Amino acid sequence: MTVAKDRADHAPATPSIDPDEVAKFSAMAADWWNPRGKFRPLHKFNPVRLRFIRDQAEKHFGIAPEARRPLDGLRLLDIGCGGGLVCEPMTRLGASVTGVDASEANIKTAMTHAGEQGLDIDYRAGTAEGLIESGEPLFDIVLNLEVVEHVADPHQFLKDTGGLVKPGGLMIVATLNRTAKALATAVIGAEYVLGWLPRGTHDWSKFVTPDEADAGLTAAGLVTEPAIGVSYNPLADSWKLSGDTKVNYMIVARRPAE
Amino acid sequence: MTKTAAQSDRVYDLAIVGAGPVGTTLAILAAQRGFSVILVDARDPNAPVRKDTRSFAIVRGSWRLLDAAGVTNAMRGSTEPLNGLEAIDGGTHWFGVPGVLFGNDDLPDDPDGQPLGQMVPAADLQAALDDACEKAGEIEWVQGKLFESMEIGPAGASLTLSDGRKIHARLVAACDGMKSSVRSAVGIQTEGHDYNQSVFAANVKLDRPHEGIARQLFTPEGPFATLPMPDNRANLAWYMKRGAAEAIAAMSVEDINAELNARFADFAGPMEIDGPYSAYPLVMQLATRMVGPRTALVGDAAHRINPLAGQGLNLGFKDVGALIDVMYDARDVGLDPGSDVSLERYEKWRRFDATAAAMFMDGIDRAFTNDSNLLKPLRGLALTLAQRVTPLRRAMARQASADQDHLPSLMR
C-alpha cells in the first residue's frame, strides 16, 4: 500500500482551472507568447531548436523532409515545458505531446493557451521523476531543453529521464556549458549587461559540461552523439547551429532498439 | 478557383484583402505552398473594366517572383525589356552635363538572361495574375465585396464583409492600398509627407529609339522621366508644382504636345501623346508598423513612396516574397504563421527596407528639384562619380534591380 500511496503523491496530474482564474492565466499566456516581452530571448532561440528537433527526428525515424506532419504517430515528452513554447509547435508537427512542469502556474498558463489555439496537449504539473515513479509509458522522443542546468543532481537527472526513452527512441538535451565564456555571456552578459533574463535566472556553478551530460546519458543506456553548439549572431540578432559548444549546446542521444 | 459563398465556419490560413498585383501574387504563391487562402476582391465582376494605362517597371528580382507565381509566360509579347537606367542633371552647369547610366552590364549574369527589368502594362499584369488566381483551385475568391470590419481573437481574426458575411483567418494580409481600411481597422497610424508636387502621366509615341532605357531628366522644376514601352512608346512622368500638372492635364492634346516638345524634345526627341493622360498628387506615406495582431501590411498599405524610379510596386513584391518566406519557415517548424512571434520577423525584415527606399527617393527628389548653387556641384559630382566608379555603379544597379543579398528566397 505504501508504494501505491507514494505514486499518488508524485504522479504529475493535470490541474483544473477555476473559472475565476481564466483571465489571469490568459494574461500570463499572452506574456509568454509576446515576442517583445520578457520571454523575447526564448522566442529568438526557439526557431533554431525547433528546426534541430525536426531535422533530428526526420533523420532518426526516416521521415520524408517534405511531410506536413512529420511527427505523426510519435509520442513526445517535453520536460520543463513552461508556457508551451515547444509543446505547441511539436503538436502542430503531428506529435502526441505530453508537457510536464514543476510549476502549476506554468501548466495552467500552457493549458489556457493551447485551449485558445485549439491544440490538444497533455499537460501535467509535476516532475519527470514523478512520471517515472507513476509508471508512465515510454516516449519516442524526450526533450530535455534548458532544464539540466537548473536541477540539483544533473547526472542522476539525465540518467533518470533517459529511462523515459523507448527502445529505438530519441532524447535531445539542450543546456549551458560550464566555461568562462558561458559565465561572461550567458550569465553576466544576458542577465546583467543586456538584461535579457532576470538576474539570478542561472547559477553558473550548476552548468553542465558536454562530457558530464554525456556521462549521465550513457549511464541511462543511451548512445550519444558529439555536442553541437548554438551561437548568437548579434548583427543578425539570431541564433544558429555552430561548432562552438562553449556556451549553448545540444546533444542527441538514442536508445538502441531491442 | 471557387466563386461560391465562403463557408462561414472555415478558418483560413490567410485572408487577403485587396486583389491588385500584390494581393493576387501573394494569393497564388501562398496557395502554391499549401496555405488555405481567401481573397477579398472589391472589383465587381459585372462592372465594365476601366483600362489601366499605366506601365510598371518590374525589376529582375520581382520578375523572378512573378515567374514563381507562373504568370510571366502570359505576359511575354506585351513586355519591353528594361536594359538600363539613366539619370541626367538638367540644371545649368559650368561645364558638361553630369549624368549616370547603368544597365545590364553592371549586373551579375542572370541564368535566364533576364535584363535589369521588364516594362509591363498594368492591365496585362493584372490580367495574367487574375487568370492565375482563377486557375489555382485552392483560392477562395470573393468578388465585388468590401472589407468592413475585423475582430481579433487569440487564435485568429474574424472579418466582416460589406454583405455581412464573416470570414475567419489565422492571418490577414492588408493588400488594400494606400488608403487601406484593414490598416485603419487595426489602428496602425501612418506618417506622411506631401511634396506639394503633382505628376502629369501619359503614354507617348517616341521618334528616337528608346533602346529599353528608362531615362530621368532632373530639372529645377522637378524630374521628367520616360519609361520604355513596346512599339517605341514611353510611359512618361512629368513632376511639377501642385496645380501645374493639373493645368497641363486640362489642356488640349495639341497644346500638351506643343508644350512637351518645346521643353523636352532635346532630351527625349520628338514625341506625341498616345492614349489617355492624367495628373495626380505626389505623396509619401509610411505606416508606423508593418504588422498588427494577426495582420500584415503589404505593398502600398504599408508604404507609398515617390514613384520616381518605378520602385513602389517592386517594394510591394519584396513584401510578398518576405511574407511567404516567414509563413513557410514558421509552419515548417510548427509555429503559427499568423502569430505575433512570426510577424515580428516580417516587421524587422521589411520595415527598414521600406523606410530606406522612401527616404532615398525623397532625398533624390529634393536634391535635384532646385537650382541651388550649393547643391548643383555636389549632385554633379555624385552623378559623375557614380558613372566613373564601377563598383558604385554596380551597387546602384543591383539595388535598383532587386538583385542582392537578404532577398526573399523567391527573388534570388
Side-chain angles (χ1 to χ4, degrees):
Chain A
M1 274 322 281
T2 18
V3 175
K5 187 175 177 300
D6 272 1
R7 277 187 181 181
D9 283 350
H10 287 103
T14 301
S16 59
I17 301 176
D18 201 298
D20 300 344
E21 297 178 312
V22 171
K24 179 176 98 183
F25 288 111
S26 191
M28 285 171 73
D31 250 13
W32 265 96
W33 291 87
N34 177 1
R36 297 177 164 200
K38 63 181 171 198
F39 295 101
R40 183 173 186 274
L42 269 182
H43 289 293
K44 285 273 161 211
F45 192 59
N46 218 16
V48 68
R49 62 182 187 177
L50 296 174
R51 177 87 253 167
F52 183 76
I53 296 163
R54 176 177 178 153
D55 288 347
Q56 291 301 321
E58 277 173 3
K59 208 166 84 182
H60 180 82
F61 296 103
I63 301 159
E66 65 276 9
R68 191 62 56 78
R69 289 169 63 85
L71 307 184
D72 242 340
L74 296 173
R75 225 168 97 73
L76 182 148
L77 171 67
D78 182 18
I79 301 171
C81 63
L85 263 45
V86 173
C87 288
E88 290 194 9
M90 291 298 127
T91 306
R92 284 200 198 87
L93 293 180
S96 155
V97 176
T98 299
V100 293
D101 200 287
S103 153
E104 194 172 285
N106 279 353
I107 287 298
K108 286 183 175 179
T109 302
M111 285 168 65
T112 306
H113 196 264
E116 288 171 351
Q117 304 303 312
L119 296 171
D120 184 15
I121 300 171
D122 169 25
Y123 280 120
R124 319 239 202 114
T127 61
E129 290 84 346
L131 275 185
I132 298 161
E133 284 165 26
S134 64
E136 180 72 24
L138 304 182
F139 294 88
D140 298 292
I141 302 173
V142 176
L143 301 179
N144 221 327
L145 311 176
E146 334 306 329
V147 182
V148 185
E149 68 271 24
H150 297 285
V151 303
D153 183 349
H155 183 86
Q156 189 62 41
F157 178 76
L158 284 168
K159 191 179 161 192
D160 289 346
T161 52
L164 285 163
V165 182
K166 237 186 216 175
L170 187 67
M171 176 180 267
I172 295 172
V173 178
T175 188
L176 287 159
N177 198 349
R178 197 172 61 255
T179 61
K181 190 175 177 185
L183 177 65
T185 59
V187 183
I188 298 169
E191 295 180 18
Y192 293 85
V193 180
L194 297 170
W196 281 0
L197 299 171
R199 291 178 188 187
T201 300
H202 287 118
D203 174 357
W204 178 78
S205 65
K206 288 172 105 177
F207 289 4
V208 177
T209 68
D211 284 348
E212 290 164 354
D214 197 282
L217 293 164
T218 307
L222 303 182
V223 179
T224 58
E225 284 185 9
I228 292 165
V230 192
S231 301
Y232 177 69
N233 175 354
L235 287 178
D237 188 24
S238 66
W239 294 80
K240 61 175 179 12
L241 299 183
S242 76
D244 178 8
T245 57
K246 287 196 184 70
V247 185
N248 292 81
Y249 69 90
M250 299 195 274
I251 294 183
V252 177
R254 307 159 200 283
R255 179 174 300 287
E258 274 167 346
Chain B
M1 180 220 52
T2 32
K3 277 177 187 165
T4 53
Q7 296 155 281
S8 58
D9 53 339
R10 184 161 176 199
V11 180
Y12 293 88
D13 292 325
L14 179 64
I16 299 169
V17 179
V22 162
T24 46
T25 305
L26 178 62
I28 296 160
L29 292 170
Q32 262 179 17
R33 275 147 195 78
F35 291 103
S36 57
V37 176
I38 185 161
L39 178 62
V40 181
D41 185 352
R43 289 174 296 172
D44 181 348
N46 303 316
V49 181
R50 236 180 85 237
K51 187 149 164 82
D52 190 339
T53 55
R54 290 174 301 165
S55 275
F56 292 122
I58 307 288
V59 299
R60 194 188 265 189
S62 302
W63 188 259
R64 288 182 192 141
L65 191 82
L66 291 173
D67 210 30
V71 299
T72 49
N73 277 333
M75 296 188 297
R76 279 183 215 284
S78 56
T79 64
E80 179 73 22
L82 179 64
N83 295 318
L85 292 172
E86 185 173 34
I88 291 171
D89 191 343
T92 44
H93 284 265
W94 292 107
F95 58 91
V97 181
V100 59
L101 167 66
F102 55 84
N104 298 337
D105 293 346
D106 298 311
L107 287 171
D109 284 339
D110 181 86
D112 304 324
Q114 275 300 314
L116 191 147
Q118 298 277 2
M119 289 304 301
V120 184
D124 294 85
L125 174 64
Q126 189 66 53
L129 287 164
D130 285 347
D131 194 44
C133 277
E134 186 119 23
K135 284 179 185 147
E138 304 306 316
I139 301 171
E140 180 100 29
W141 193 354
V142 184
Q143 294 182 312
K145 302 287 177 290
L146 297 171
F147 166 90
E148 288 265 303
S149 63
M150 175 155 84
E151 269 176 63
I152 307 288
S158 297
L159 289 69
T160 306
L161 304 189
S162 47
D163 60 350
R165 185 185 304 174
K166 293 248 187 238
I167 290 169
H168 309 286
R170 291 186 187 84
L171 174 62
V172 181
C175 303
D176 51 348
M178 186 181 170
K179 293 174 182 159
S180 171
S181 351
V182 175
R183 187 185 62 216
S184 317
V186 286
I188 298 175
Q189 307 293 314
T190 59
E191 13 191 69
H193 174 65
D194 188 332
Y195 296 85
N196 201 27
Q197 276 184 316
S198 286
V199 184
F200 173 79
N203 290 343
V204 292
K205 179 96 187 118
L206 294 176
D207 194 48
R208 195 189 287 167
H210 59 50
E211 292 172 328
I213 310 288
R215 307 179 73 216
Q216 297 167 51
L217 176 72
F218 292 96
T219 77
E221 291 79 38
F224 177 84
T226 56
L227 293 170
M229 287 173 68
D231 306 324
N232 208 42
R233 282 154 62 243
N235 195 232
L236 73 79
W238 180 8
Y239 294 66
M240 282 167 270
K241 281 210 173 65
R242 179 77 37 86
E246 287 77 2
I248 298 267
M251 299 185 341
S252 70
V253 175
E254 292 70 32
D255 289 348
I256 299 173
N257 280 334
E259 194 72 23
L260 280 174
N261 284 290
R263 287 170 188 259
F264 302 112
D266 281 353
F267 169 71
M271 66 196 112
E272 206 174 293
I273 293 278
D274 177 27
Y277 48 86
S278 61
Y280 58 90
L282 190 61
V283 282
M284 176 180 99
Q285 180 183 279
L286 277 176
T288 51
R289 293 208 67 193
M290 295 279 293
V291 302
R294 298 279 158 189
T295 309
L297 306 187
V298 183
D300 282 0
H303 40 68
R304 171 83 185 184
I305 67 165
N306 188 325
L308 204 47
Q311 292 295 315
L313 180 59
N314 293 299
L315 211 53
F317 282 140
K318 273 200 208 174
D319 295 344
V320 169
L323 189 59
I324 289 287
D325 275 3
V326 164
M327 290 178 67
Y328 187 90
D329 291 349
R331 183 184 63 188
D332 215 32
V333 296
L335 291 169
D336 174 358
S339 67
D340 293 348
V341 174
S342 307
L343 293 178
E344 177 79 0
R345 186 176 159 220
Y346 175 71
E347 160 91 19
K348 275 190 66 179
W349 190 349
R350 293 302 307 145
R351 173 111 176 104
F352 175 76
D353 193 33
T355 310
M359 296 303 165
F360 181 73
M361 298 314 304
D362 198 28
I364 295 264
D365 195 12
R366 280 167 197 241
F368 283 94
T369 307
N370 65 67
D371 211 12
S372 146
N373 282 322
L374 200 70
L375 276 172
K376 254 191 328 193
L378 278 179
R379 67 186 191 225
L381 182 67
L383 285 176
T384 306
L385 273 179
Q387 181 60 45
R388 301 259 169 95
V389 181
T390 302
L392 195 59
R393 205 174 60 241
R394 288 194 177 146
M396 287 171 69
R398 295 199 73 177
Q399 172 67 38
S401 65
D403 193 355
Q404 34 179 173
D405 301 332
H406 307 298
L407 274 178
S409 53
L410 291 170
M411 300 178 86
R412 288 195 285 254

